[in-house]
Amino acid sequence: MNPIATGQAFGRKELELIPDKALIMSGYGINSEMETREALLRAGMDADIIHINDLIDRKYRMCDYRLLVFPGGFSYGDDTGAGNAYANRVRNNLWNDVTEFLEEDNLVLGICNGFQILANLGLVPAFDKQYKRDIALMPNRKGVLECRYVTIKPAAETLWTKGIERIVCPVSHGEGNFSCSKEVLTQLKNRKMIAFTYCRENLKPADGEYPYNPNGSVADIAGITSADGKVLAMMPHPERAMEFVNEYDWPLQKERLRRNQQPVPTESMNMKLFRNIVGYFC
Amino acid sequence: MAYVHRIEVQYKTDPRLKVRTDRIRSLGFPIDELHVIDIYTISTHSRDFTPEELREIGSKLINPVVQTFTVDKATIAHFDTAIEVGFLPGVTDNVGTTARQTIEDFTKRKFEPGEAVYSSQMYFVCGRLSLINAENLAATLANPLINRVHMKTRTEYGTKGMDIVVPLVNLHELPTAEPVDLGVDDQELIRIGKEGITDPETGQRRGPLALDLAQMHAIRDYFTSLGRKPTDVEIESLAQTWSEHCKHTIFASPMDDDMPKGLYKTCIQAATNTIRAQKGDKDICLSVFSDNSGGIIFDDHYLVTHKVETHNSPSALDPFGGALTGIVGVNRDTIGFGLGAKPCINIYGFCVGDPESNPALYRGKNNSNPILSPRRILEGVVSGVGVGGNCSGIPTPQGFVWFDDRYVGKPLVFAGTVGIMPRSDGKRNLFEKQARSGDYIVMIGGRVGKDGIHGATFSSEALDPGSPVTAVQIGDPITQKKVSDVIVKEARDRGLYTSITDNGAGGISCSVAEMAKECNGCHVYLDKVPLKYPGMAPWEIWISESQERMTLAIPPEKLNEFMDLLASREVEATVIGSFTDTGRCVVEFHGTVVMDIELSFLHDGLPIKLLKTEAPVSVQSDPMPSCPEHLDTTLKEMLARKNICSKEFISVQYDHTVQGGHVLGPVQGAGRVQGMATLTKVVPDSKKGVGLSQGIFPSYSEIDSYRMAIACIDTAIRGLIALGIPLDSIAILDNFCWCSSDEPERLAQLKAAARGCYDGATGFETPFISGKDSMFNDFRGYDEDNNPVLVSVPPTLLVSSIGIHPDVTKAVSLDAKIEGDLVYLIGENREELGGSEYSAYLGISGGIVPALDIPAMKVRYQRLTHAILHDLVVSAFPVTHGGLAVALAKVAIGGKLGLDVTLTGDLRPDVLLFSETLGRFIVTVDPDKKRSFELAMGSDATLIGRVTGKNLQITGPSLRISVPVSELESANKKPFGGY
């Protein structure tokens, strides 16, 4: 029994990988597992893509991994609320594994549908390790899926955001409208759990203005961490803009750099996030 | 005893309330607010749920931070009218299915057959509506073909709320195969062919077989020679296999005296064969025409596939469901290519009526069964393709919309998918497959219901009042995603099957019989096929087009491993028979043989028919009115035309970034202009990328369909050339969507267009790798006064292109980038306004359709590729619909920069600005590269100006316009700003 094959490029040069591995969840309509694995590989961490049913059937053990990733996708077609049905499947079948995993010195990352799953599981914000639902990712204010590049910036110094000035990458979701009570928002702010906020290209706050804040999220929130900082959940997709040519305005940037006799990069600035993760395990 | 419970879910504060309300108000309903409540109706009979369980279930179906729910209690709210919209019995209910799975997983108890969860939506309308208005609003929220609607006033709603409805399917059919007597007169044979077999139970006709008299004779004679009557299973099966949809009889039949082999072999296949022979070891084709998609070389290790389908008739009836089924259907053409390619890019195309019009046309007499409004169709098909791609994790960057009022009765919905797969797994070529005698026939994916019965024959007939509602299917992208993942990410690479194909038109009757050709026989047990509900007749099971199904050939020694794998992924798999080498297609149902036909008759028994063409009357050319005085206004009005303006609202609701390969997307530049082509990386560790574009000119067809076809090919190719993709890596696909193809004049236009395809493809040496046709896109119905009406689509050809970019870091986007850069026109301007957008703007018909000197273009395009790949070009954009001025405007808007250009020549100013001469590009160049660029391009490039200022300024011999780019941008983006 092998983990799910990932269509590796032929003749790819050997990557230098740390010994710790990531577990990337798949199944039931999760769809960003391969590019998420690619981003981690490039940052130096190997990852297995495992179907949730293979964990339930005990073919794999969560505790053999250091990083647990809930990638993007449309698990269960967003029916009964995005991420809700997949979260129910985790809670009904893998809850002990997840709580034990969180007790160890491990990390959890959720992107987009992954954020929706983590929110429904209560793994974020998880004030005082009470895993209850304190936040919601509601339907976007415009009522439809929105796919566009956004700029986000760190709003707190965390292990995830170290050294990051900005991330420019796509959002692509129908339900990313971050919502919570005033009390929860105050706690998120006071405890420095707001990892990323949507902003303008010049890094000034989006202040709720469309399209900088693409979905209507309260306080421009694009991503939060758990209270202990070990879980990061974010709506935008840095793994979809790993390379310079994945950035929206790369043709213009390239032309400007070239005329200033500056080198044109191959990697995007977003890779820093994944390098921070790998750095944590080094 | 049935136990039924109703859970109602509502948002404490619904974020979509304003947008939803505004949209309904914009459709003319004077409402104050429109609230939505999600309803889950749980129906069981084996055991009831306790109140605690129901509360737990409710809490699992919501997020308590923002939602509340009630169990068996009406939601209390302020409103004036309540409208509940649910599905009719048997319609796919994806939300209900997910809710059921959630409940099963939580209670650890499987629902039994007949037990289910049904989803519905309850709308609370605030604001007083007349009864007529309320009914019209309900008609906007629901589609009578698939939905049930219940309405109550606030008083009727009271404290009890809406009534509980359980849309259970109840069938009382004869589950046996019936012999059919074909020993009847020709009149009756014609009737059977047109209206179907008479059902012995109900006495009603079962729906169109679309078999003509010659075909009915062939079938009768075959069974006479066997000495027995055919069964209904056999006749229905032959009707599917011989349908226009499956056999492409119009493209396959001999035509006139000069095309004895028919259009397909003479024009399409011959073009590809000629090109492959000419190119020798530079041939890029790996698998053409023989499989579900066409496959070309990506690099030494990978191949890419492409296929474009249409789903027109179902989309006219149910735009959302039709388009969704179209896109997930063509995804299966990728998964069913070779041994399974991974879908990696979706494309779309919609031809619809003007969404601001609302024509009064009816399918039935006396104003019954009205057509859906063009806006409803547009919004439905946009949403259907979006949901299909988004839920499946396939990016949808590339596509188009074309508006013409002749599409009001029959919209065209194009859906295409590109796939990627390794060329070999070390042991076998993955693009080849071979079912073997003794392999099991295994059906995987969704279950079979009555949905889509007579789909293939239905789309071969013009839409008429008798269109069966069972022709509508609704896709379930998540079931299909599970099928796709387990096949292309797991089972294929474990070598668990020898062949695979999609269940599309004709269901398993076509897929199994098609695969049976690989080993020469099959034996199917129809009673093994898993059904959505009991009571279906064998012929229905055999031809049903229920979605999300694939058929595979599994060697006996791999069966257990395969079945275990699929069970662990919760994908249903069932052995329904075996492949054989008997030369026969044998089908059993509960121990009785219900079909036993030689494969040779099934596939090749179709009688040959000679098609005759007759030249159509040529279109008269109207005189040109005088040149408009204010050409800057004209330019803005041209940019706001629906066929030219921005349709960005589609691009942003289609995920075009998933799988992480976005390089040049659907919108480009600071000004976010929709390009002609997109570029996507499909192998992470490769520098190469896949470019996609298309060409479509339905407005040229009536004047000159030969040139129309050339224009499509040139435009599809030119879009890719502008990105830097070399001509010799480009392949193309054809989709003919014709009308009235039994008329000799329409066939003459078809023949000319097919000739254009041959000349265009061989001229550019770009092979056709796949194609599809849909020949009867006509609407027959009635107007308000009961007069019969025929609305035929303009003869439409879509040419799609796919090309491999050698190094995506060298690709160029369309937008002007740096102040001071030089602006070049590549190509020359001629007076070619026939069928152009400008002619449509002026309201004149006729004129000269653009012609093309293909050998000269080949040289030009190769020069431009060279210049782009050597970093001599900063931006490039092809000149297409709307001509030179529109292209210049889009380059300027894209960069949010002005252009100052001077044009020469003796054309009338408006002709110069808007003529649609082919083969042209607008290119911007760094002044430092001026010499090398001009050297590379030779006489093909003319320096016409600079990137400068804030205006688009165009000067000519008797022409001077200057418009702020911001005004051009708002003109271009306004028409669909509210969508």
Side-chain angles (χ1 to χ4, degrees), chain B residues 410-445:
Chain B
K410 196 90 175 264
L412 305 182
V413 172
F414 299 91
T417 304
V418 174
I420 176 94
M421 81 192 293
R423 290 163 64 172
S424 154
D425 65 359
K427 293 185 221 98
R428 53 184 182 170
N429 281 337
L430 293 179
F431 55 88
E432 291 164 347
K433 53 189 162 193
Q434 171 82 53
R436 291 175 305 202
S437 175
D439 286 351
Y440 287 111
I441 305 171
V442 177
M443 190 190 96
I444 70 167

Side-chain angles (χ1 to χ4, degrees), chain A residues 28 33 35 42 51 53-54 79 84 89 93 133 139 147 172 240 243 246 248 250 254 258-259, chain B residues 11 59-60 62 98 105 108 489 568-570 652 655 657 659 662-663 669 681 684 809 821 929:
Chain A
Y28 294 95
E33 67 273 19
E35 52 270 37
R42 289 183 185 193
H51 196 286
N53 289 354
D54 286 349
D79 304 337
N84 188 33
R89 184 138 183 89
N93 299 284
R133 288 190 277 195
C147 180
S172 187
R240 294 190 187 175
E243 298 183 7
N246 295 139
Y248 177 77
W250 73 269
K254 174 187 159 190
R258 210 181 50 75
R259 298 210 197 171
Chain B
Y11 274 95
S59 73
K60 298 263 177 213
I62 65 156
T98 298
D105 195 31
K108 301 291 175 215
K489 293 179 183 171
S568 72
R569 302 300 177 247
E570 251 186 80
V652 296
D655 188 338
T657 59
Q659 299 192 15
H662 181 283
V663 178
K681 281 188 65 169
T809 65
D821 277 2
K929 304 273 177 80

Side-chain angles (χ1 to χ4, degrees), chain B residues 7-21:
Chain B
I7 295 177
E8 303 191 354
V9 175
Q10 70 173 327
Y11 274 95
K12 295 171 185 170
T13 311
D14 188 343
R16 299 161 297 179
L17 178 63
K18 187 178 176 317
V19 172
R20 183 190 309 122
T21 304

Side-chain angles (χ1 to χ4, degrees), chain B residues 533-552:
Chain B
Y533 30 77
M536 284 177 65
W539 70 272
E540 294 177 310
I541 300 170
W542 187 229
I543 68 165
S544 160
E545 296 182 3
S546 290
Q547 292 293 294
E548 292 81 43
R549 293 182 296 145
M550 307 284 296
T551 302
L552 292 89

Side-chain angles (χ1 to χ4, degrees), chain A residues 1-2 4-5 7-13 27-35 38 42 51 53-54 57 59 74-77 79-81 84-85 88-93 119-120 133-149 170-172 175 177 179-181 210 239-240 242-243 245-248 250-252 254-256 258-259, chain B residues 11 13 15-16 19 40 59-66 94-95 98-99 101-102 105-106 108 301-302 342 390-393 422 424 478 481-482 485 489-490 493-494 567-570 648 651-664 667-670 672-673 681 683-685 808-811 813 815 817-818 821 871 873-874 925-927 929 979:
Chain A
M1 192 75 196
N2 298 314
I4 293 168
Q8 273 303 289
F10 290 89
R12 175 176 197 151
K13 62 177 184 292
Y28 294 95
I30 278 183
N31 63 34
S32 296
E33 67 273 19
M34 286 162 95
E35 52 270 37
E38 178 70 22
R42 289 183 185 193
H51 196 286
N53 289 354
D54 286 349
D57 294 342
K59 289 178 186 156
F74 266 82
S75 57
Y76 293 90
D79 304 337
T80 74
N84 188 33
N88 279 327
R89 184 138 183 89
V90 172
R91 190 181 283 278
N92 289 336
N93 299 284
N120 278 299
R133 288 190 277 195
D134 279 320
I135 58 163
L137 294 149
M138 293 201 294
N140 295 348
R141 216 163 23 189
K142 280 187 77 180
V144 288
L145 181 135
E146 183 89 15
C147 180
R148 60 166 66 240
Y149 280 73
V171 284
S172 187
E175 302 183 25
N177 184 351
S179 177
C180 63
S181 68
Y210 178 85
E239 83 286 7
R240 294 190 187 175
M242 288 178 253
E243 298 183 7
V245 294
N246 295 139
E247 293 180 26
Y248 177 77
W250 73 269
L252 175 61
K254 174 187 159 190
E255 206 50 40
R256 285 183 176 150
R258 210 181 50 75
R259 298 210 197 171
Chain B
Y11 274 95
T13 311
R16 299 161 297 179
V19 172
Y40 300 93
S59 73
K60 298 263 177 213
L61 296 175
I62 65 156
N63 185 327
V65 181
V66 289
N94 294 323
V95 178
T98 298
Q101 289 171 348
T102 296
D105 195 31
F106 161 63
K108 301 291 175 215
H301 304 291
Y302 284 96
K342 185 185 86 165
N390 293 346
C391 286
S392 309
S424 154
I478 293 304
K481 171 72 173 154
K482 292 196 285 187
D485 279 356
K489 293 179 183 171
E490 299 194 79
D493 297 336
R494 290 208 223 158
S568 72
R569 302 300 177 247
E570 251 186 80
E648 191 189 338
S651 302
V652 296
Q653 60 177 293
Y654 286 7
D655 188 338
H656 49 268
T657 59
V658 63
Q659 299 192 15
H662 181 283
V663 178
L664 293 174
V667 289
Q668 294 171 23
R672 298 179 70 84
V673 168
K681 281 188 65 169
V683 176
D685 206 33
V808 297
T809 65
K810 305 259 185 202
S813 59
D815 49 309
K817 294 184 180 65
I818 312 267
D821 277 2
D871 287 323
V873 172
V874 176
V925 173
D926 178 354
K929 304 273 177 80
Y979 276 64

Side-chain angles (χ1 to χ4, degrees), chain B residues 653-704:
Chain B
Q653 60 177 293
Y654 286 7
D655 188 338
H656 49 268
T657 59
V658 63
Q659 299 192 15
H662 181 283
V663 178
L664 293 174
V667 289
Q668 294 171 23
R672 298 179 70 84
V673 168
Q674 287 181 300
M676 278 296 297
T678 48
L679 183 60
T680 308
K681 281 188 65 169
V682 295
V683 176
D685 206 33
S686 167
K687 273 188 160 185
K688 293 189 171 189
V690 172
L692 298 173
S693 187
Q694 77 280 321
I696 186 164
F697 291 89
S699 53
Y700 292 3
S701 301
E702 300 282 13
I703 310 175
D704 189 334

Side-chain angles (χ1 to χ4, degrees), chain A residues 23-274:
Chain A
L23 189 175
I24 301 176
M25 302 290 284
S26 74
Y28 294 95
I30 278 183
N31 63 34
S32 296
E33 67 273 19
M34 286 162 95
E35 52 270 37
T36 306
R37 179 173 190 266
E38 178 70 22
L40 287 168
L41 273 176
R42 289 183 185 193
M45 186 171 199
D46 200 358
D48 289 339
I49 294 170
I50 311 267
H51 196 286
I52 184 171
N53 289 354
D54 286 349
L55 288 169
I56 295 172
D57 294 342
R58 303 286 149 194
K59 289 178 186 156
Y60 296 92
R61 297 185 309 176
M62 210 177 271
C63 59
D64 290 336
Y65 299 89
R66 298 288 308 279
L67 172 69
L68 172 63
V69 187
F70 292 90
F74 266 82
S75 57
Y76 293 90
D78 278 1
D79 304 337
T80 74
N84 188 33
Y86 199 95
N88 279 327
R89 184 138 183 89
V90 172
R91 190 181 283 278
N92 289 336
N93 299 284
L94 294 171
W95 189 238
N96 288 339
D97 304 64
V98 170
T99 47
E100 279 165 24
F101 187 85
L102 286 167
E103 292 305 314
E104 303 296 320
D105 181 23
N106 296 326
L107 298 180
V108 179
L109 171 64
I111 298 173
C112 195
N113 197 210
F115 188 174
Q116 294 157 341
I117 294 167
L118 293 177
N120 278 299
L121 282 172
L123 296 188
V124 282
F127 301 120
D128 312 316
K129 299 226 163 168
Q130 285 177 24
Y131 301 116
K132 67 184 184 59
R133 288 190 277 195
D134 279 320
I135 58 163
L137 294 149
M138 293 201 294
N140 295 348
R141 216 163 23 189
K142 280 187 77 180
V144 288
L145 181 135
E146 183 89 15
C147 180
R148 60 166 66 240
Y149 280 73
V150 294
T151 306
I152 58 173
K153 64 175 179 183
E157 178 76 15
T158 68
L159 70 96
W160 309 89
T161 56
K162 225 180 322 170
I164 293 176
E165 185 203 22
R166 75 178 76 195
I167 281 178
V168 180
C169 69
V171 284
S172 187
H173 57 250
E175 302 183 25
N177 184 351
F178 187 98
S179 177
C180 63
S181 68
K182 274 193 190 132
E183 299 72 48
V184 168
L185 182 62
T186 309
Q187 279 215 58
L188 289 174
K189 282 181 178 162
N190 290 348
R191 297 170 72 166
K192 309 229 173 296
M193 290 162 63
I194 300 175
F196 292 105
T197 53
Y198 298 107
C199 60
R200 291 159 205 270
E201 281 147 32
N202 60 12
L203 300 186
K204 295 230 167 78
D207 287 328
E209 192 185 314
Y210 178 85
Y212 309 104
N213 174 337
N215 48 36
S217 288
V218 64
D220 295 331
I221 291 175
I224 61 171
T225 63
S226 57
D228 65 6
K230 293 201 304 200
V231 183
L232 171 67
M234 61 193 295
M235 287 313 296
H237 286 278
E239 83 286 7
R240 294 190 187 175
M242 288 178 253
E243 298 183 7
F244 178 67
V245 294
N246 295 139
E247 293 180 26
Y248 177 77
D249 66 343
W250 73 269
L252 175 61
Q253 281 190 58
K254 174 187 159 190
E255 206 50 40
R256 285 183 176 150
L257 290 167
R258 210 181 50 75
R259 298 210 197 171
N260 292 330
Q261 269 101 47
Q262 285 173 297
V264 177
T266 54
E267 201 174 89
S268 87
M269 55 194 151
N270 304 332
M271 281 302 292
K272 183 87 181 113
L273 178 74
F274 298 99

Side-chain angles (χ1 to χ4, degrees), chain B residues 29-70:
Chain B
F29 297 99
I31 60 164
D32 299 329
E33 278 181 347
L34 185 68
H35 297 265
V36 179
I37 316 290
D38 291 315
I39 311 292
Y40 300 93
T41 303
I42 306 167
S43 169
T44 57
H45 49 74
S46 60
R47 183 175 80 84
D48 201 2
F49 291 102
T50 66
E52 295 86 88
E53 280 178 320
L54 288 166
R55 265 198 303 281
E56 276 291 332
I57 288 169
S59 73
K60 298 263 177 213
L61 296 175
I62 65 156
N63 185 327
V65 181
V66 289
Q67 291 171 312
T68 59
F69 69 96
T70 66

